[in-house]
Amino acid sequence: FQRLEAARLARPSMKVVVVDPRRTETCDIADLHLALKPGSDVALFNLLLAGLAKRDVVDRDFVDRHTSGLDQALTAARATDSSACGLPRADIETFIDWFARTERVVTLYSQGVNQSSAGVDKVNALINCHLLTGRIGRPGMG
C-alpha cells in the first residue's frame, strides 16, 4: 500500500480505483471506490470486458497470438446484468472509460479474491480484461 500511495503522490494524474464492498484505508487515495455487492466481482469484470470490446479497446494482434476463446468470453460478458454489482451505472462507465483510456494499467488484489470459493473465476475475469487490451507482460502493466 505504501508503494501505491507514494506512486499516487508522485503522479497526481494517476487514477486509483478500489473495488471492495468495504471502505478500507486504500479508499483514502482512491479516485473511485466501487463498493460492489459481495461476490459480484466476476460480474464487474465481465462488464468491463464487454465495455472494452464495445469501445474497441482490443489489441487484436495480441489476442490472436496469445489467447483463445474470445468469442465465448465476450458472449458471457455481454450477458451480464449491469445491476448485478449494485453499483450506479455511471460509476461502472467511469471505471470502463478510465481503463480504456489508460495504457498502463496495473491490477492489484489481496488474498481475499483468490481464496474465495469463486477465486479462479474472479481472477480469470480480471485477467481477460488485460488480455483483451494486451496490457500484460510489459513494464507498468499487468
Side-chain angles (χ1 to χ4, degrees), residues 15-20 31-36 40-52 55 57 85 87-102 105-108 125-126 129-130 133 135:
K15 299 290 187 198
V16 174
V17 178
V18 173
V19 178
D20 193 326
D31 298 287
L32 180 62
H33 174 210
L34 298 175
L36 72 172
S40 66
D41 311 60
V42 171
L44 177 63
F45 294 119
N46 278 345
L47 292 169
L48 176 60
L49 185 71
L52 292 168
R55 289 163 176 78
V57 185
C85 303
L87 297 168
R89 186 66 200 178
D91 287 352
I92 294 170
E93 290 298 321
T94 297
F95 177 49
I96 295 168
D97 288 340
W98 287 356
F99 196 108
R101 290 193 322 245
T102 305
V105 175
V106 175
T107 303
L108 308 167
L126 179 55
C129 298
H130 284 272
T133 57
R135 294 176 183 165

mmCIF file of all heavy atoms in Angstrom, residues 15-20 31-36 40-52 55 57 85 87-102 105-108 125-126 129-130 133 135:
data_model
loop_
_atom_site.group_PDB
_atom_site.id
_atom_site.type_symbol
_atom_site.label_atom_id
_atom_site.label_comp_id
_atom_site.label_asym_id
_atom_site.label_seq_id
_atom_site.Cartn_x
_atom_site.Cartn_y
_atom_site.Cartn_z
ATOM 1 N N LYS A 15 -4.797 7.421 -11.814
ATOM 2 C CA LYS A 15 -6.099 7.061 -11.245
ATOM 3 C C LYS A 15 -5.966 5.805 -10.401
ATOM 4 O O LYS A 15 -5.298 4.854 -10.797
ATOM 5 C CB LYS A 15 -7.123 6.803 -12.349
ATOM 6 C CG LYS A 15 -7.391 7.981 -13.246
ATOM 7 C CD LYS A 15 -8.127 9.055 -12.515
ATOM 8 C CE LYS A 15 -8.536 10.159 -13.485
ATOM 9 N NZ LYS A 15 -8.856 11.383 -12.796
ATOM 10 N N VAL A 16 -6.624 5.815 -9.269
ATOM 11 C CA VAL A 16 -6.682 4.650 -8.395
ATOM 12 C C VAL A 16 -8.151 4.301 -8.200
ATOM 13 O O VAL A 16 -8.953 5.163 -7.807
ATOM 14 C CB VAL A 16 -6.010 4.918 -7.026
ATOM 15 C CG1 VAL A 16 -6.209 3.735 -6.085
ATOM 16 C CG2 VAL A 16 -4.531 5.236 -7.200
ATOM 17 N N VAL A 17 -8.479 3.057 -8.500
ATOM 18 C CA VAL A 17 -9.836 2.558 -8.318
ATOM 19 C C VAL A 17 -9.775 1.426 -7.303
ATOM 20 O O VAL A 17 -8.983 0.493 -7.463
ATOM 21 C CB VAL A 17 -10.431 2.044 -9.653
ATOM 22 C CG1 VAL A 17 -11.832 1.474 -9.429
ATOM 23 C CG2 VAL A 17 -10.448 3.151 -10.698
ATOM 24 N N VAL A 18 -10.595 1.503 -6.303
ATOM 25 C CA VAL A 18 -10.686 0.442 -5.308
ATOM 26 C C VAL A 18 -11.997 -0.303 -5.541
ATOM 27 O O VAL A 18 -13.063 0.308 -5.592
ATOM 28 C CB VAL A 18 -10.637 0.992 -3.865
ATOM 29 C CG1 VAL A 18 -10.904 -0.108 -2.853
ATOM 30 C CG2 VAL A 18 -9.299 1.660 -3.605
ATOM 31 N N VAL A 19 -11.878 -1.618 -5.708
ATOM 32 C CA VAL A 19 -13.040 -2.485 -5.875
ATOM 33 C C VAL A 19 -13.131 -3.325 -4.613
ATOM 34 O O VAL A 19 -12.368 -4.277 -4.428
ATOM 35 C CB VAL A 19 -12.888 -3.382 -7.134
ATOM 36 C CG1 VAL A 19 -14.085 -4.308 -7.272
ATOM 37 C CG2 VAL A 19 -12.687 -2.533 -8.384
ATOM 38 N N ASP A 20 -14.055 -2.962 -3.741
ATOM 39 C CA ASP A 20 -14.173 -3.649 -2.456
ATOM 40 C C ASP A 20 -15.512 -3.254 -1.834
ATOM 41 O O ASP A 20 -15.829 -2.058 -1.802
ATOM 42 C CB ASP A 20 -13.024 -3.223 -1.535
ATOM 43 C CG ASP A 20 -12.862 -4.104 -0.309
ATOM 44 O OD1 ASP A 20 -13.875 -4.597 0.223
ATOM 45 O OD2 ASP A 20 -11.719 -4.293 0.128
ATOM 46 N N ASP A 31 -9.555 7.473 -6.447
ATOM 47 C CA ASP A 31 -10.362 8.408 -7.215
ATOM 48 C C ASP A 31 -11.781 7.877 -7.358
ATOM 49 O O ASP A 31 -12.716 8.635 -7.589
ATOM 50 C CB ASP A 31 -9.757 8.598 -8.613
ATOM 51 C CG ASP A 31 -8.368 9.194 -8.532
ATOM 52 O OD1 ASP A 31 -8.270 10.397 -8.236
ATOM 53 O OD2 ASP A 31 -7.388 8.458 -8.741
ATOM 54 N N LEU A 32 -11.911 6.561 -7.262
ATOM 55 C CA LEU A 32 -13.207 5.908 -7.404
ATOM 56 C C LEU A 32 -13.216 4.667 -6.523
ATOM 57 O O LEU A 32 -12.322 3.830 -6.613
ATOM 58 C CB LEU A 32 -13.433 5.515 -8.870
ATOM 59 C CG LEU A 32 -14.739 4.808 -9.228
ATOM 60 C CD1 LEU A 32 -15.947 5.701 -8.938
ATOM 61 C CD2 LEU A 32 -14.718 4.398 -10.701
ATOM 62 N N HIS A 33 -14.226 4.581 -5.660
ATOM 63 C CA HIS A 33 -14.408 3.387 -4.838
ATOM 64 C C HIS A 33 -15.653 2.674 -5.327
ATOM 65 O O HIS A 33 -16.760 3.213 -5.239
ATOM 66 C CB HIS A 33 -14.551 3.750 -3.360
ATOM 67 C CG HIS A 33 -14.877 2.577 -2.486
ATOM 68 N ND1 HIS A 33 -15.612 2.700 -1.326
ATOM 69 C CD2 HIS A 33 -14.577 1.255 -2.593
ATOM 70 C CE1 HIS A 33 -15.751 1.507 -0.766
ATOM 71 N NE2 HIS A 33 -15.141 0.614 -1.513
ATOM 72 N N LEU A 34 -15.476 1.477 -5.859
ATOM 73 C CA LEU A 34 -16.587 0.664 -6.327
ATOM 74 C C LEU A 34 -16.957 -0.316 -5.216
ATOM 75 O O LEU A 34 -16.365 -1.383 -5.094
ATOM 76 C CB LEU A 34 -16.217 -0.070 -7.619
ATOM 77 C CG LEU A 34 -15.888 0.834 -8.804
ATOM 78 C CD1 LEU A 34 -15.416 0.011 -9.995
ATOM 79 C CD2 LEU A 34 -17.085 1.695 -9.176
ATOM 80 N N ALA A 35 -17.916 0.082 -4.398
ATOM 81 C CA ALA A 35 -18.356 -0.734 -3.266
ATOM 82 C C ALA A 35 -19.418 -1.719 -3.757
ATOM 83 O O ALA A 35 -20.608 -1.600 -3.450
ATOM 84 C CB ALA A 35 -18.892 0.163 -2.153
ATOM 85 N N LEU A 36 -18.966 -2.698 -4.530
ATOM 86 C CA LEU A 36 -19.866 -3.653 -5.160
ATOM 87 C C LEU A 36 -20.462 -4.622 -4.150
ATOM 88 O O LEU A 36 -19.941 -4.775 -3.040
ATOM 89 C CB LEU A 36 -19.148 -4.399 -6.275
ATOM 90 C CG LEU A 36 -18.090 -5.445 -5.933
ATOM 91 C CD1 LEU A 36 -17.692 -6.174 -7.203
ATOM 92 C CD2 LEU A 36 -16.862 -4.852 -5.290
ATOM 93 N N SER A 40 -19.818 -10.194 -6.340
ATOM 94 C CA SER A 40 -20.161 -9.771 -7.700
ATOM 95 C C SER A 40 -18.937 -9.338 -8.518
ATOM 96 O O SER A 40 -19.084 -8.697 -9.552
ATOM 97 C CB SER A 40 -21.206 -8.652 -7.668
ATOM 98 O OG SER A 40 -20.687 -7.478 -7.089
ATOM 99 N N ASP A 41 -17.759 -9.725 -8.069
ATOM 100 C CA ASP A 41 -16.525 -9.353 -8.765
ATOM 101 C C ASP A 41 -16.524 -9.806 -10.226
ATOM 102 O O ASP A 41 -16.163 -9.051 -11.120
ATOM 103 C CB ASP A 41 -15.293 -9.974 -8.078
ATOM 104 C CG ASP A 41 -15.248 -9.761 -6.594
ATOM 105 O OD1 ASP A 41 -16.177 -10.211 -5.907
ATOM 106 O OD2 ASP A 41 -14.274 -9.168 -6.117
ATOM 107 N N VAL A 42 -16.921 -11.057 -10.472
ATOM 108 C CA VAL A 42 -16.919 -11.580 -11.838
ATOM 109 C C VAL A 42 -17.853 -10.754 -12.707
ATOM 110 O O VAL A 42 -17.515 -10.401 -13.845
ATOM 111 C CB VAL A 42 -17.313 -13.077 -11.865
ATOM 112 C CG1 VAL A 42 -17.516 -13.564 -13.296
ATOM 113 C CG2 VAL A 42 -16.244 -13.916 -11.171
ATOM 114 N N ALA A 43 -19.008 -10.393 -12.185
ATOM 115 C CA ALA A 43 -19.945 -9.567 -12.947
ATOM 116 C C ALA A 43 -19.308 -8.230 -13.311
ATOM 117 O O ALA A 43 -19.411 -7.779 -14.463
ATOM 118 C CB ALA A 43 -21.228 -9.350 -12.155
ATOM 119 N N LEU A 44 -18.633 -7.598 -12.363
ATOM 120 C CA LEU A 44 -17.999 -6.306 -12.640
ATOM 121 C C LEU A 44 -16.950 -6.441 -13.740
ATOM 122 O O LEU A 44 -16.916 -5.647 -14.679
ATOM 123 C CB LEU A 44 -17.361 -5.724 -11.379
ATOM 124 C CG LEU A 44 -16.608 -4.412 -11.591
ATOM 125 C CD1 LEU A 44 -17.547 -3.303 -12.054
ATOM 126 C CD2 LEU A 44 -15.863 -4.006 -10.324
ATOM 127 N N PHE A 45 -16.101 -7.456 -13.647
ATOM 128 C CA PHE A 45 -15.047 -7.599 -14.653
ATOM 129 C C PHE A 45 -15.602 -8.081 -15.994
ATOM 130 O O PHE A 45 -15.040 -7.763 -17.038
ATOM 131 C CB PHE A 45 -13.905 -8.461 -14.121
ATOM 132 C CG PHE A 45 -13.194 -7.779 -12.988
ATOM 133 C CD1 PHE A 45 -13.146 -8.344 -11.732
ATOM 134 C CD2 PHE A 45 -12.611 -6.542 -13.179
ATOM 135 C CE1 PHE A 45 -12.512 -7.685 -10.685
ATOM 136 C CE2 PHE A 45 -11.976 -5.872 -12.138
ATOM 137 C CZ PHE A 45 -11.932 -6.447 -10.886
ATOM 138 N N ASN A 46 -16.734 -8.783 -15.971
ATOM 139 C CA ASN A 46 -17.407 -9.096 -17.235
ATOM 140 C C ASN A 46 -17.953 -7.820 -17.876
ATOM 141 O O ASN A 46 -17.881 -7.648 -19.096
ATOM 142 C CB ASN A 46 -18.536 -10.107 -17.026
ATOM 143 C CG ASN A 46 -18.038 -11.526 -16.972
ATOM 144 O OD1 ASN A 46 -16.911 -11.827 -17.345
ATOM 145 N ND2 ASN A 46 -18.893 -12.424 -16.505
ATOM 146 N N LEU A 47 -18.506 -6.937 -17.067
ATOM 147 C CA LEU A 47 -18.994 -5.652 -17.590
ATOM 148 C C LEU A 47 -17.835 -4.836 -18.160
ATOM 149 O O LEU A 47 -17.974 -4.183 -19.204
ATOM 150 C CB LEU A 47 -19.714 -4.863 -16.493
ATOM 151 C CG LEU A 47 -21.032 -5.465 -16.008
ATOM 152 C CD1 LEU A 47 -21.514 -4.756 -14.748
ATOM 153 C CD2 LEU A 47 -22.090 -5.414 -17.103
ATOM 154 N N LEU A 48 -16.698 -4.891 -17.489
ATOM 155 C CA LEU A 48 -15.505 -4.207 -18.001
ATOM 156 C C LEU A 48 -15.087 -4.799 -19.336
ATOM 157 O O LEU A 48 -14.831 -4.073 -20.302
ATOM 158 C CB LEU A 48 -14.369 -4.285 -16.981
ATOM 159 C CG LEU A 48 -13.022 -3.702 -17.407
ATOM 160 C CD1 LEU A 48 -13.135 -2.215 -17.745
ATOM 161 C CD2 LEU A 48 -11.983 -3.927 -16.310
ATOM 162 N N LEU A 49 -15.024 -6.114 -19.418
ATOM 163 C CA LEU A 49 -14.623 -6.780 -20.659
ATOM 164 C C LEU A 49 -15.560 -6.400 -21.804
ATOM 165 O O LEU A 49 -15.112 -6.022 -22.893
ATOM 166 C CB LEU A 49 -14.603 -8.301 -20.465
ATOM 167 C CG LEU A 49 -14.087 -9.114 -21.649
ATOM 168 C CD1 LEU A 49 -12.576 -8.917 -21.813
ATOM 169 C CD2 LEU A 49 -14.414 -10.587 -21.453
ATOM 170 N N ALA A 50 -16.858 -6.482 -21.559
ATOM 171 C CA ALA A 50 -17.834 -6.134 -22.594
ATOM 172 C C ALA A 50 -17.724 -4.665 -22.982
ATOM 173 O O ALA A 50 -17.805 -4.312 -24.167
ATOM 174 C CB ALA A 50 -19.248 -6.456 -22.111
ATOM 175 N N GLY A 51 -17.503 -3.804 -22.002
ATOM 176 C CA GLY A 51 -17.366 -2.373 -22.275
ATOM 177 C C GLY A 51 -16.124 -2.049 -23.082
ATOM 178 O O GLY A 51 -16.154 -1.189 -23.973
ATOM 179 N N LEU A 52 -15.034 -2.734 -22.797
ATOM 180 C CA LEU A 52 -13.802 -2.520 -23.556
ATOM 181 C C LEU A 52 -13.981 -2.982 -24.996
ATOM 182 O O LEU A 52 -13.553 -2.288 -25.933
ATOM 183 C CB LEU A 52 -12.637 -3.262 -22.898
ATOM 184 C CG LEU A 52 -12.197 -2.734 -21.541
ATOM 185 C CD1 LEU A 52 -11.248 -3.717 -20.862
ATOM 186 C CD2 LEU A 52 -11.559 -1.348 -21.669
ATOM 187 N N ARG A 55 -16.058 -0.505 -26.914
ATOM 188 C CA ARG A 55 -15.280 0.694 -27.249
ATOM 189 C C ARG A 55 -14.128 0.373 -28.201
ATOM 190 O O ARG A 55 -13.330 1.219 -28.522
ATOM 191 C CB ARG A 55 -14.748 1.326 -25.965
ATOM 192 C CG ARG A 55 -15.814 1.989 -25.120
ATOM 193 C CD ARG A 55 -15.302 2.225 -23.704
ATOM 194 N NE ARG A 55 -16.254 2.934 -22.862
ATOM 195 C CZ ARG A 55 -17.322 2.389 -22.284
ATOM 196 N NH1 ARG A 55 -17.616 1.115 -22.488
ATOM 197 N NH2 ARG A 55 -18.121 3.106 -21.519
ATOM 198 N N VAL A 57 -11.438 -1.327 -27.636
ATOM 199 C CA VAL A 57 -10.131 -1.249 -26.993
ATOM 200 C C VAL A 57 -9.588 -2.673 -26.951
ATOM 201 O O VAL A 57 -9.546 -3.318 -25.910
ATOM 202 C CB VAL A 57 -10.232 -0.624 -25.586
ATOM 203 C CG1 VAL A 57 -8.844 -0.439 -24.980
ATOM 204 C CG2 VAL A 57 -10.970 0.696 -25.638
ATOM 205 N N CYS A 85 -23.954 -5.890 -9.736
ATOM 206 C CA CYS A 85 -22.938 -5.389 -8.803
ATOM 207 C C CYS A 85 -23.498 -4.441 -7.754
ATOM 208 O O CYS A 85 -22.820 -4.150 -6.770
ATOM 209 C CB CYS A 85 -21.844 -4.653 -9.573
ATOM 210 S SG CYS A 85 -21.054 -5.648 -10.820
ATOM 211 N N LEU A 87 -23.986 -1.294 -8.239
ATOM 212 C CA LEU A 87 -23.284 -0.023 -8.405
ATOM 213 C C LEU A 87 -24.059 0.898 -9.340
ATOM 214 O O LEU A 87 -24.729 0.418 -10.257
ATOM 215 C CB LEU A 87 -21.897 -0.262 -9.015
ATOM 216 C CG LEU A 87 -20.920 -1.082 -8.193
ATOM 217 C CD1 LEU A 87 -19.707 -1.469 -9.046
ATOM 218 C CD2 LEU A 87 -20.490 -0.304 -6.958
ATOM 219 N N PRO A 88 -23.922 2.197 -9.150
ATOM 220 C CA PRO A 88 -24.517 3.116 -10.118
ATOM 221 C C PRO A 88 -23.900 2.894 -11.501
ATOM 222 O O PRO A 88 -22.683 2.718 -11.619
ATOM 223 C CB PRO A 88 -24.167 4.507 -9.585
ATOM 224 C CG PRO A 88 -23.829 4.306 -8.146
ATOM 225 C CD PRO A 88 -23.276 2.906 -8.047
ATOM 226 N N ARG A 89 -24.724 2.914 -12.533
ATOM 227 C CA ARG A 89 -24.229 2.691 -13.897
ATOM 228 C C ARG A 89 -23.152 3.721 -14.243
ATOM 229 O O ARG A 89 -22.188 3.405 -14.940
ATOM 230 C CB ARG A 89 -25.392 2.750 -14.894
ATOM 231 C CG ARG A 89 -25.009 2.393 -16.298
ATOM 232 C CD ARG A 89 -24.592 0.938 -16.407
ATOM 233 N NE ARG A 89 -23.791 0.751 -17.613
ATOM 234 C CZ ARG A 89 -23.247 -0.376 -17.990
ATOM 235 N NH1 ARG A 89 -23.409 -1.450 -17.254
ATOM 236 N NH2 ARG A 89 -22.533 -0.466 -19.067
ATOM 237 N N ALA A 90 -23.287 4.944 -13.753
ATOM 238 C CA ALA A 90 -22.293 5.993 -14.040
ATOM 239 C C ALA A 90 -20.918 5.612 -13.500
ATOM 240 O O ALA A 90 -19.897 5.883 -14.143
ATOM 241 C CB ALA A 90 -22.746 7.329 -13.463
ATOM 242 N N ASP A 91 -20.862 4.974 -12.338
ATOM 243 C CA ASP A 91 -19.576 4.548 -11.765
ATOM 244 C C ASP A 91 -18.957 3.433 -12.601
ATOM 245 O O ASP A 91 -17.740 3.410 -12.815
ATOM 246 C CB ASP A 91 -19.740 4.088 -10.323
ATOM 247 C CG ASP A 91 -19.969 5.236 -9.352
ATOM 248 O OD1 ASP A 91 -19.858 6.416 -9.775
ATOM 249 O OD2 ASP A 91 -20.254 4.959 -8.173
ATOM 250 N N ILE A 92 -19.784 2.511 -13.081
ATOM 251 C CA ILE A 92 -19.278 1.438 -13.936
ATOM 252 C C ILE A 92 -18.730 2.019 -15.235
ATOM 253 O O ILE A 92 -17.649 1.636 -15.692
ATOM 254 C CB ILE A 92 -20.385 0.390 -14.210
ATOM 255 C CG1 ILE A 92 -20.766 -0.320 -12.911
ATOM 256 C CG2 ILE A 92 -19.924 -0.618 -15.266
ATOM 257 C CD1 ILE A 92 -22.011 -1.192 -13.018
ATOM 258 N N GLU A 93 -19.440 2.972 -15.807
ATOM 259 C CA GLU A 93 -18.987 3.610 -17.050
ATOM 260 C C GLU A 93 -17.680 4.373 -16.840
ATOM 261 O O GLU A 93 -16.795 4.339 -17.692
ATOM 262 C CB GLU A 93 -20.066 4.532 -17.616
ATOM 263 C CG GLU A 93 -21.259 3.792 -18.174
ATOM 264 C CD GLU A 93 -20.917 2.890 -19.349
ATOM 265 O OE1 GLU A 93 -20.085 3.280 -20.198
ATOM 266 O OE2 GLU A 93 -21.487 1.785 -19.430
ATOM 267 N N THR A 94 -17.549 5.049 -15.708
ATOM 268 C CA THR A 94 -16.300 5.751 -15.390
ATOM 269 C C THR A 94 -15.151 4.761 -15.303
ATOM 270 O O THR A 94 -14.073 4.983 -15.867
ATOM 271 C CB THR A 94 -16.436 6.534 -14.071
ATOM 272 O OG1 THR A 94 -17.443 7.540 -14.234
ATOM 273 C CG2 THR A 94 -15.125 7.184 -13.659
ATOM 274 N N PHE A 95 -15.379 3.662 -14.621
ATOM 275 C CA PHE A 95 -14.371 2.605 -14.489
ATOM 276 C C PHE A 95 -13.944 2.088 -15.865
ATOM 277 O O PHE A 95 -12.748 1.990 -16.165
ATOM 278 C CB PHE A 95 -14.957 1.478 -13.623
ATOM 279 C CG PHE A 95 -14.080 0.276 -13.432
ATOM 280 C CD1 PHE A 95 -12.751 0.397 -13.040
ATOM 281 C CD2 PHE A 95 -14.599 -1.001 -13.603
ATOM 282 C CE1 PHE A 95 -11.956 -0.725 -12.837
ATOM 283 C CE2 PHE A 95 -13.820 -2.125 -13.402
ATOM 284 C CZ PHE A 95 -12.502 -1.986 -13.022
ATOM 285 N N ILE A 96 -14.899 1.791 -16.718
ATOM 286 C CA ILE A 96 -14.593 1.298 -18.062
ATOM 287 C C ILE A 96 -13.844 2.358 -18.855
ATOM 288 O O ILE A 96 -12.836 2.058 -19.511
ATOM 289 C CB ILE A 96 -15.883 0.865 -18.795
ATOM 290 C CG1 ILE A 96 -16.528 -0.324 -18.086
ATOM 291 C CG2 ILE A 96 -15.580 0.525 -20.253
ATOM 292 C CD1 ILE A 96 -17.955 -0.631 -18.556
ATOM 293 N N ASP A 97 -14.301 3.604 -18.785
ATOM 294 C CA ASP A 97 -13.641 4.689 -19.528
ATOM 295 C C ASP A 97 -12.199 4.878 -19.082
ATOM 296 O O ASP A 97 -11.300 5.018 -19.915
ATOM 297 C CB ASP A 97 -14.402 6.007 -19.360
ATOM 298 C CG ASP A 97 -15.708 6.034 -20.122
ATOM 299 O OD1 ASP A 97 -15.888 5.231 -21.065
ATOM 300 O OD2 ASP A 97 -16.572 6.862 -19.766
ATOM 301 N N TRP A 98 -11.965 4.874 -17.783
ATOM 302 C CA TRP A 98 -10.598 5.053 -17.293
ATOM 303 C C TRP A 98 -9.711 3.902 -17.721
ATOM 304 O O TRP A 98 -8.573 4.107 -18.138
ATOM 305 C CB TRP A 98 -10.581 5.200 -15.770
ATOM 306 C CG TRP A 98 -11.108 6.513 -15.271
ATOM 307 C CD1 TRP A 98 -11.506 7.588 -16.027
ATOM 308 C CD2 TRP A 98 -11.310 6.879 -13.921
ATOM 309 N NE1 TRP A 98 -11.937 8.591 -15.199
ATOM 310 C CE2 TRP A 98 -11.831 8.192 -13.904
ATOM 311 C CE3 TRP A 98 -11.110 6.224 -12.712
ATOM 312 C CZ2 TRP A 98 -12.138 8.868 -12.720
ATOM 313 C CZ3 TRP A 98 -11.424 6.884 -11.535
ATOM 314 C CH2 TRP A 98 -11.928 8.195 -11.541
ATOM 315 N N PHE A 99 -10.193 2.679 -17.624
ATOM 316 C CA PHE A 99 -9.408 1.525 -18.050
ATOM 317 C C PHE A 99 -9.130 1.622 -19.547
ATOM 318 O O PHE A 99 -8.007 1.385 -20.003
ATOM 319 C CB PHE A 99 -10.159 0.225 -17.715
ATOM 320 C CG PHE A 99 -9.315 -1.020 -17.758
ATOM 321 C CD1 PHE A 99 -8.955 -1.678 -16.604
ATOM 322 C CD2 PHE A 99 -8.892 -1.557 -18.968
ATOM 323 C CE1 PHE A 99 -8.190 -2.838 -16.634
ATOM 324 C CE2 PHE A 99 -8.125 -2.717 -19.017
ATOM 325 C CZ PHE A 99 -7.775 -3.346 -17.857
ATOM 326 N N ALA A 100 -10.135 1.991 -20.311
ATOM 327 C CA ALA A 100 -9.997 2.078 -21.772
ATOM 328 C C ALA A 100 -8.967 3.127 -22.182
ATOM 329 O O ALA A 100 -8.204 2.919 -23.128
ATOM 330 C CB ALA A 100 -11.353 2.404 -22.407
ATOM 331 N N ARG A 101 -8.914 4.240 -21.484
ATOM 332 C CA ARG A 101 -8.034 5.359 -21.862
ATOM 333 C C ARG A 101 -6.629 5.267 -21.271
ATOM 334 O O ARG A 101 -5.760 6.050 -21.635
ATOM 335 C CB ARG A 101 -8.656 6.679 -21.414
ATOM 336 C CG ARG A 101 -9.890 7.068 -22.186
ATOM 337 C CD ARG A 101 -10.287 8.515 -21.923
ATOM 338 N NE ARG A 101 -10.094 8.937 -20.552
ATOM 339 C CZ ARG A 101 -11.071 9.293 -19.727
ATOM 340 N NH1 ARG A 101 -12.313 9.272 -20.122
ATOM 341 N NH2 ARG A 101 -10.808 9.689 -18.506
ATOM 342 N N THR A 102 -6.412 4.323 -20.372
ATOM 343 C CA THR A 102 -5.133 4.258 -19.663
ATOM 344 C C THR A 102 -4.287 3.113 -20.219
ATOM 345 O O THR A 102 -4.632 1.942 -20.057
ATOM 346 C CB THR A 102 -5.373 4.054 -18.154
ATOM 347 O OG1 THR A 102 -6.237 5.088 -17.689
ATOM 348 C CG2 THR A 102 -4.059 4.096 -17.394
ATOM 349 N N VAL A 105 -2.041 -0.082 -17.161
ATOM 350 C CA VAL A 105 -2.980 -0.468 -16.114
ATOM 351 C C VAL A 105 -2.346 -1.579 -15.293
ATOM 352 O O VAL A 105 -1.878 -2.573 -15.844
ATOM 353 C CB VAL A 105 -4.312 -0.963 -16.723
ATOM 354 C CG1 VAL A 105 -5.232 -1.484 -15.632
ATOM 355 C CG2 VAL A 105 -4.981 0.144 -17.519
ATOM 356 N N VAL A 106 -2.345 -1.395 -13.997
ATOM 357 C CA VAL A 106 -1.862 -2.422 -13.075
ATOM 358 C C VAL A 106 -3.024 -2.781 -12.161
ATOM 359 O O VAL A 106 -3.678 -1.897 -11.610
ATOM 360 C CB VAL A 106 -0.667 -1.911 -12.239
ATOM 361 C CG1 VAL A 106 -0.254 -2.947 -11.196
ATOM 362 C CG2 VAL A 106 0.498 -1.554 -13.130
ATOM 363 N N THR A 107 -3.274 -4.058 -12.021
ATOM 364 C CA THR A 107 -4.335 -4.530 -11.143
ATOM 365 C C THR A 107 -3.696 -5.264 -9.973
ATOM 366 O O THR A 107 -2.893 -6.174 -10.172
ATOM 367 C CB THR A 107 -5.282 -5.481 -11.898
ATOM 368 O OG1 THR A 107 -5.795 -4.800 -13.037
ATOM 369 C CG2 THR A 107 -6.410 -5.928 -11.012
ATOM 370 N N LEU A 108 -4.056 -4.856 -8.790
ATOM 371 C CA LEU A 108 -3.552 -5.477 -7.566
ATOM 372 C C LEU A 108 -4.735 -6.048 -6.805
ATOM 373 O O LEU A 108 -5.794 -5.424 -6.764
ATOM 374 C CB LEU A 108 -2.852 -4.438 -6.687
ATOM 375 C CG LEU A 108 -1.770 -3.592 -7.353
ATOM 376 C CD1 LEU A 108 -1.399 -2.428 -6.473
ATOM 377 C CD2 LEU A 108 -0.562 -4.443 -7.652
ATOM 378 N N ALA A 125 -11.633 -13.566 -14.865
ATOM 379 C CA ALA A 125 -12.403 -12.444 -15.410
ATOM 380 C C ALA A 125 -11.555 -11.176 -15.459
ATOM 381 O O ALA A 125 -11.610 -10.410 -16.427
ATOM 382 C CB ALA A 125 -13.667 -12.216 -14.577
ATOM 383 N N LEU A 126 -10.755 -10.984 -14.444
ATOM 384 C CA LEU A 126 -9.867 -9.824 -14.397
ATOM 385 C C LEU A 126 -8.755 -9.925 -15.436
ATOM 386 O O LEU A 126 -8.490 -8.980 -16.192
ATOM 387 C CB LEU A 126 -9.282 -9.712 -12.985
ATOM 388 C CG LEU A 126 -8.310 -8.603 -12.695
ATOM 389 C CD1 LEU A 126 -8.898 -7.257 -13.051
ATOM 390 C CD2 LEU A 126 -7.929 -8.631 -11.235
ATOM 391 N N CYS A 129 -9.578 -9.039 -19.076
ATOM 392 C CA CYS A 129 -9.569 -7.615 -19.447
ATOM 393 C C CYS A 129 -8.168 -7.171 -19.866
ATOM 394 O O CYS A 129 -8.012 -6.407 -20.823
ATOM 395 C CB CYS A 129 -10.077 -6.768 -18.291
ATOM 396 S SG CYS A 129 -11.787 -7.160 -17.836
ATOM 397 N N HIS A 130 -7.163 -7.651 -19.170
ATOM 398 C CA HIS A 130 -5.782 -7.328 -19.537
ATOM 399 C C HIS A 130 -5.394 -8.007 -20.849
ATOM 400 O O HIS A 130 -4.714 -7.407 -21.683
ATOM 401 C CB HIS A 130 -4.823 -7.732 -18.413
ATOM 402 C CG HIS A 130 -4.847 -6.797 -17.252
ATOM 403 N ND1 HIS A 130 -4.058 -5.678 -17.179
ATOM 404 C CD2 HIS A 130 -5.592 -6.806 -16.117
ATOM 405 C CE1 HIS A 130 -4.296 -5.041 -16.049
ATOM 406 N NE2 HIS A 130 -5.229 -5.708 -15.392
ATOM 407 N N THR A 133 -6.889 -6.265 -23.999
ATOM 408 C CA THR A 133 -6.252 -4.992 -24.331
ATOM 409 C C THR A 133 -4.749 -5.122 -24.553
ATOM 410 O O THR A 133 -4.091 -4.134 -24.891
ATOM 411 C CB THR A 133 -6.510 -3.964 -23.214
ATOM 412 O OG1 THR A 133 -6.025 -4.486 -21.969
ATOM 413 C CG2 THR A 133 -8.000 -3.658 -23.089
ATOM 414 N N ARG A 135 -2.633 -5.482 -22.291
ATOM 415 C CA ARG A 135 -1.972 -4.757 -21.187
ATOM 416 C C ARG A 135 -1.490 -5.749 -20.135
ATOM 417 O O ARG A 135 -1.951 -5.756 -18.996
ATOM 418 C CB ARG A 135 -2.938 -3.746 -20.607
ATOM 419 C CG ARG A 135 -3.277 -2.662 -21.606
ATOM 420 C CD ARG A 135 -4.294 -1.719 -21.112
ATOM 421 N NE ARG A 135 -4.603 -0.747 -22.161
ATOM 422 C CZ ARG A 135 -5.641 0.030 -22.159
ATOM 423 N NH1 ARG A 135 -6.494 -0.013 -21.149
ATOM 424 N NH2 ARG A 135 -5.860 0.877 -23.141
#
